[in-house]
Amino acid sequence: MRLRIDLAYDGGDFHGWAVQPGLRTVQAELTAAIATALRIPPDDPAERVEVVVAGRTDAGVHARGQVCHVDVDDARMARSAADGPARLVRRLNGLLPPDVRVRTVAEAAPGFDARYAALWRRYTYRVSDRTTTSDPLRRGWVLAWPRELDDALMHQTAQTLVGRHDFASFCKRRVGATTIRTLLDLDVARDAEGLLEVQVRADAFCHSMVRSLVGCLIAVGEGRQVASWATGQLATRRRDPALTVARARGLTLEEVAYPADADLASRTAVTRATRQEHEATGERVEP
């Protein structure tokens, strides 16, 4: 049985999503909780818990709408959660630390793959650049900026970056991985309180891409760079030391979108085929 798990976490005390030896990660915590909840022996390679996630968040990045899947043995599932997958929510939350919460667990529809079936991911980066929005209670998930930013100019600049481009200038390169992405939306606006929010939506993101985009827009918003500098960075396709990566604490994964159940299998197949095509030509795609 394939289970879809929707969860949220405060990334402040985690070294990112992916398991790393000797470090606290979200994946490690969730994997251990699933194994305990389903009574899976830790030394049984035949039933090793493998959690596949929609988006691997970096150290310090938060999530409200993270999605993952895990395949479990039907018989073990029947013995350990006789009332069905939904019964696991309470059990997992009882095992997980308080900075990780499982919201729902359900049997996944045929063809569902948390990573490859996703249509897009949406992130929000929040910045407090006014004394009226300063709130020490939200310092863990909002970036405090000492100078007020021109949000209208930032939004105008952001629109020049939307579309399918090679975002090499905004990514931390990984050997063999492509930096071509389709940026669907990049919007800058203030909420009702005046808190500045950068909304980013794309088919996928490469490493540090969102925080690099935010760092670029902040440089324009406070007048250190002109608006055309952003498109100039895009054109160079190489990292500029002047382009700083915004701190992780302001970034939250808000939502991952999937097609209708009837289209999950075809979406997964298309994404996998695209990856294989790029691998064959030396450009690996990492959704």
Side-chain angles (χ1 to χ4, degrees):
M1 178 186 296
R2 173 160 293 184
L3 301 179
R4 169 176 170 164
I5 302 175
D6 289 62
L7 69 155
Y9 48 85
D10 180 337
D13 290 332
F14 287 102
H15 290 268
W17 165 268
V19 171
Q20 301 179 61
L23 298 177
R24 185 172 186 255
T25 68
V26 182
Q27 186 181 25
E29 295 282 4
L30 182 61
T31 298
I34 293 171
T36 300
L38 296 180
R39 301 181 178 88
I40 298 174
D43 55 349
D44 186 352
E47 287 195 75
R48 187 175 67 175
V49 177
E50 294 188 12
V51 180
V52 177
V53 72
R56 292 171 290 185
T57 51
D58 295 333
V61 176
H62 317 293
R64 280 199 180 101
Q66 184 67 279
V67 182
C68 61
H69 79 250
V70 61
D71 295 329
V72 299
D73 180 75
D74 289 354
R76 185 173 292 281
M77 185 68 189
R79 293 194 302 270
S80 303
D83 297 331
R87 173 71 174 173
L88 283 177
V89 174
R90 183 175 179 181
R91 187 175 299 176
L92 289 173
N93 284 332
L95 295 166
L96 287 164
D99 49 1
V100 183
R101 292 292 88 182
V102 169
R103 290 182 163 173
T104 61
V105 179
E107 183 173 359
F112 178 80
D113 186 294
R115 184 182 181 189
Y116 291 110
L119 294 172
W120 45 259
R121 289 91 170 155
R122 179 173 64 86
Y123 284 83
T124 302
Y125 196 99
R126 295 176 173 86
V127 183
S128 173
D129 62 331
R130 297 174 176 175
T131 56
T132 54
T133 58
S134 297
D135 185 348
L137 296 182
R138 56 190 182 195
R139 66 188 183 278
W141 50 276
V142 174
L143 176 71
W145 198 255
R147 293 169 293 279
E148 186 163 343
L149 302 170
D150 186 336
D151 52 284
L153 179 58
M154 292 172 67
H155 179 74
Q156 180 183 347
T157 303
Q159 304 320 297
T160 65
L161 301 174
V162 173
R164 183 172 176 81
H165 306 289
D166 186 341
F167 285 93
S169 303
F170 297 90
C171 297
K172 186 176 291 186
R173 296 300 297 266
R174 290 177 172 171
V175 177
T178 182
T179 50
I180 296 173
R181 296 290 188 270
T182 301
L183 190 60
L184 300 169
D185 301 298
L186 182 56
D187 299 311
V188 182
R190 296 186 184 274
D191 68 6
E193 297 178 18
L195 191 70
L196 191 147
E197 295 184 338
V198 181
Q199 299 278 350
V200 190
R201 187 170 66 98
D203 59 342
F205 295 94
C206 47
H207 192 207
S208 297
M209 178 175 163
V210 177
R211 292 192 288 134
S212 295
L213 289 168
V214 172
C216 174
L217 295 177
I218 287 177
V220 173
E222 69 172 2
R224 283 188 287 117
Q225 301 289 349
V226 296
S228 59
W229 181 70
T231 51
Q233 290 296 305
L234 190 65
T236 63
R237 299 182 183 178
R238 57 182 174 80
R239 296 289 295 184
D240 182 342
L243 200 164
T244 58
V245 179
R247 297 184 65 179
R249 70 172 58 183
L251 185 59
T252 301
L253 173 60
E254 302 283 359
E255 180 184 9
V256 182
Y258 295 92
D261 288 355
D263 299 322
L264 285 169
S266 59
R267 172 64 182 178
T268 297
V270 167
T271 306
R272 286 186 180 277
T274 301
R275 176 177 180 179
Q276 291 170 359
E277 178 183 348
H278 280 267
E279 285 180 338
T281 58
E283 280 194 358
R284 291 176 52 205
V285 173
E286 296 189 11

